[in-house]
Amino acid sequence: MSEVNSADDGERPDPGGGPEADPGGGVRLGGWTRFVTARPRLSLLVALLLTALAVAAGSGVADRLGSGGWEDPAAQSTYATKALEREFPGSQPNLLLLVDSGRRSVDEPSVAAEAKRLAARLAAEPGVTGVGSYWQSGAPTLRAEDGHEALVAARITGDEKTASETLDRMAPTYRGAHGPVKVKVGGPVAVRHEMQTTIREDLTRAELIALPVTLVLLVMVFGSAVAALLPLGVGIVAILGTNAVLRGLTEFTDVSVFAMNLTTALGLGLAIDYALFIVRRFREELATGAEPTAAIAATLRTAGRTVLFSALTVAVSLAAMLLFPQYFLRSFAYAGIAVVLLAAAAALILLPAALVLLGHRVNSLDLRRVFRRGRSRETTGAGAGGERTADGGAAWGRMASLVMRRAPLFAVATSVVLVVLGLPFLSVKFGTADDRQLPLSAEAHVVQQHIREGFPGSPGGGLEVLAEGRATEAQYTAYKARIAALPEVRRVDGPLVKGDAAYFAVQPEGEAVDEGAQRLVGELRATDAPFDTAVTGTAAVLVDSKDAIADQLPWAAGFIAVVTLFLVFLLTGSVLIPVQAVLLNALSLTAMFGAVVWVFQDGHLSGLLGFTSSGSIETTLPVLMFCVAFGLSMDYGVFLLSRIKEEYDRTGDHRDAVRFGLQRTGGLITAAAVILAVVMVAIGTSRVTNTKMLGLGIALAVLMDAMVVRSLLVPAVMRLTGRATWWAPAPLRRFHERFGLSEGEPPAAPEEKEADQERDKVAAHG
């Protein structure tokens, strides 16, 4: 419940479990504090056992995750794909053998004989069906234009896991030299398999990079090695717990392998954020002379309450992805919500137990002492976290005062810069994830690149039309002629008839997923036919995916906005601040979206960052990045607003409250943002382009939010709105007084208030 300085408010019980004055002069502890500190050793032992169980339960989770999930399960293209797989497996090849004859022609007898032997051997493999080749069909789309390469196509049956196991078993047999030819293995199943393997390897490397760098940064923030290890431990517990949750979810639904990256990033990032604020507040309380148990009580009542509230705001943003049908997006919601809640639980249950046991030893092993020799204790109190300047308060206070003195200038200039940085996103082009997600050296990428550059049409990338219902040969012929007359069609093959079903293979004039191919999807679906038709293929899946996202995007954005407005109102009791929070958070993401298009779509810095630009952005990525980055921005926003609200309740001075809030949290928010950015950049070292885009994009968004929006735009805007910032109509004020939440202490006695204000003035003037 919020704390307000009204004369008739009276004293209300503290639901946060904080310390209360005892008639005997001691401290009476609230229920939550008693719960987490009554048996600290037992709590840590139970946590250790649960973590060990999570390690066992989550083992092998990566092998059970899928690498697809971009399609809408209810779309026409999905229905047609499943029907064609069932009735005409040869129409949906997912395995391609690129047969290279060197300087010879693929039509030479020795080359043709060897290729036919390979095709026959492939057809005899268990789990393989629909084998066809250039040497069997003579189809010109299966022969390179230079005559030195041709294709053998087949379909590996089963789900993603089964197909991957089949490929693992048989690929070494076909890869390499066979008499006069050399063979490379490609196709969608090979792309998915190589992407899955690459992500697992990259994630291990990212963790090896992020963990030691994060530890060094935490030591720089805390000074104490003991204090620095605590947030890292909370993050590891959150990651291991989430892996167990994902492993359990794979028993009931599909989960994307990309979600593993979010688990690591948010597990470390948010757990460190939460632990950073709790440990710092605990050390501040110790520095005032409080005993460890009382210090924990005050910490949970203030920083702990804000951590819980922050976790809810982040979870809300991630939960919005559950509204989309693609399991790629839903997977990030599963992983994100789980890791956020586990990180908050570990920070609010395990961390307090550890702090109670450590007590003043939390400041042990101060590794910064060597850099502070010769400096007075008064200027080095930040090592214990007890000074008001512990967060670089003097510098942040002076900056806040400067920003508020020139509020119109900072508000306009910062907003203009952010909008300009986001302008490249206006030219965004949406596409699908393909082999170009992989590094140049990946075999599956090499095969598809050869096909794109050297083969006519789009082998394996055309459109398929499923026809269902009894029809005559004349009706099929007439329908085929109508398709062939469409302006975007290069050629039409078929129909292949089986019972009451048939399918036509349509090759578009241009690339498999360019704008012409997407227009052709609509034209095919609008073409009259005397039977039911359904269109699938890469372009059709893209069209349906974009439609599904467009349908659900307003609902997802509305859900995030409404729930965020409500939660921030509960925190602040203001009508204007929630609106400011939503708008400024959205504005903070413009640089990320602009950079995504400028770098990854347009290909700038592709050489430096080591990726191949496909000229488009995968359709679901902007949605994912918005939900994650918006949630993280709210995380930092909650920490800043809670301290501003605390000071405003204490003094009633709006301008001083804004300055004080930035003074107390500016350093911590910046440190937390830098640490999270390090984790995201480590994820961004991945060789898979989408993962690289996710990691580097969110790292940029986090840094822009902490260093530009929270430091410059928020104080400028709040100065411009003045005391009206805190206005709310009477019914809403009464609602907030009853149900609101805030971080804050009881109102200070007059002499304490004067002493605090005097210390603030000293800090602000250095």
Side-chain angles (χ1 to χ4, degrees), residues 492-577:
V492 185
D493 295 319
L496 182 62
V497 182
K498 182 179 179 182
D500 291 341
Y503 89 90
F504 300 81
V506 182
Q507 291 294 329
E509 283 286 356
E511 290 283 337
V513 292
D514 64 11
E515 293 181 0
Q518 294 179 54
R519 284 195 302 271
L520 180 57
V521 172
E523 294 168 357
L524 288 172
R525 288 173 174 172
T527 301
D528 291 333
F531 35 71
D532 294 330
T533 62
V535 180
T536 188
T538 308
V541 171
L542 173 59
V543 168
D544 290 340
S545 180
K546 290 200 297 186
D547 288 345
I549 289 175
D551 288 343
Q552 296 301 317
L553 192 58
W555 294 101
F559 171 77
I560 292 174
V562 169
V563 179
T564 300
L565 289 170
F566 177 70
L567 290 175
V568 178
F569 171 76
L570 288 181
L571 177 69
T572 63
S574 162
V575 170
L576 187 58
I577 289 179

Side-chain angles (χ1 to χ4, degrees), residues 176-533:
H178 296 268
V181 301
K182 291 183 179 179
V183 177
K184 291 185 175 67
V185 179
V189 69
V191 171
R192 287 197 301 268
H193 179 69
E194 199 151 2
M195 194 175 295
Q196 202 166 18
T197 302
T198 303
I199 287 173
R200 283 202 302 265
E201 294 172 353
D202 291 347
L203 187 58
T204 301
R205 187 180 68 252
E207 290 170 345
L208 293 176
I209 294 172
L211 288 173
V213 175
T214 297
L215 181 59
V216 170
L217 290 175
L218 286 170
V219 169
M220 292 173 64
V221 171
F222 284 122
S224 162
V226 172
L229 286 170
L230 293 174
L232 209 57
V234 171
I236 291 171
V237 169
I239 292 171
L240 295 176
T242 303
N243 286 343
V245 171
L246 293 181
R247 174 62 178 81
L249 286 172
T250 60
E251 298 291 337
F252 308 101
T253 187
D254 293 319
V255 181
S256 172
V257 68
F258 287 93
M260 293 284 290
N261 297 287
L262 188 67
T263 297
T264 296
L266 290 186
L268 279 177
L270 288 178
I272 287 170
D273 282 359
Y274 298 155
L276 190 67
F277 280 81
I278 287 177
V279 172
R280 175 58 65 91
R281 189 67 179 237
F282 176 74
R283 298 171 84 200
E284 290 178 3
E285 297 297 331
L286 289 181
T288 65
E291 290 302 313
T293 303
I296 277 293
T299 298
L300 291 178
R301 182 179 179 279
T302 53
R305 188 181 285 175
T306 302
V307 163
L308 179 60
F309 193 84
S310 174
L312 290 176
T313 61
V314 177
V316 163
S317 293
L318 297 174
M321 288 186 284
L322 292 173
L323 297 175
F324 295 93
Q326 294 92 336
Y327 87 72
F328 174 80
L329 287 175
R330 297 172 70 88
S331 298
F332 284 93
Y334 303 147
I337 293 172
V339 78
V340 168
L341 296 181
L342 286 170
L348 295 174
I349 298 174
L350 304 183
L351 186 57
L355 291 174
V356 167
L357 291 176
L358 285 172
H360 290 276
R361 286 173 295 180
V362 72
N363 297 318
S364 300
L365 300 179
D366 188 347
L367 303 180
R368 297 189 308 190
R369 280 179 298 181
V370 65
F371 301 107
R372 296 203 300 261
R373 287 177 182 171
R375 297 168 61 186
S376 66
R377 183 172 182 79
E378 286 75 16
T379 61
T380 60
E387 305 275 338
R388 283 189 179 263
T389 59
D391 301 331
W396 287 103
R398 285 193 296 270
M399 187 177 74
S401 299
L402 172 64
V403 170
M404 287 189 287
R405 282 198 303 271
R406 301 287 186 269
L409 174 63
F410 279 98
V412 172
T414 305
S415 299
V416 168
V417 169
L418 290 173
V419 170
V420 169
L421 290 175
L423 289 178
F425 193 72
L426 296 177
S427 61
V428 64
K429 297 177 182 177
F430 294 110
T432 58
D434 58 21
D435 60 283
R436 285 169 288 193
Q437 295 286 315
L438 294 167
L440 288 171
S441 58
E443 184 181 34
H445 186 171
V446 171
V447 170
Q448 295 302 128
Q449 194 66 27
H450 276 244
I451 293 172
R452 266 191 299 272
E453 296 175 351
F455 285 70
S458 304
L463 296 169
E464 292 85 29
V465 180
L466 171 68
E468 294 181 301
R470 191 170 298 277
T472 65
E473 183 177 346
Q475 288 174 320
Y476 284 137
T477 301
Y479 179 67
K480 180 177 180 180
R482 286 195 289 273
I483 294 176
L486 295 174
E488 305 287 350
V489 173
R490 177 192 293 262
R491 58 177 288 164
V492 185
D493 295 319
L496 182 62
V497 182
K498 182 179 179 182
D500 291 341
Y503 89 90
F504 300 81
V506 182
Q507 291 294 329
E509 283 286 356
E511 290 283 337
V513 292
D514 64 11
E515 293 181 0
Q518 294 179 54
R519 284 195 302 271
L520 180 57
V521 172
E523 294 168 357
L524 288 172
R525 288 173 174 172
T527 301
D528 291 333
F531 35 71
D532 294 330
T533 62

Side-chain angles (χ1 to χ4, degrees), residues 128-148:
V128 177
T129 187
V131 177
S133 71
Y134 162 73
W135 295 274
Q136 292 170 296
S137 66
T141 55
L142 299 180
R143 180 181 183 272
E145 292 174 339
D146 65 4
H148 299 306

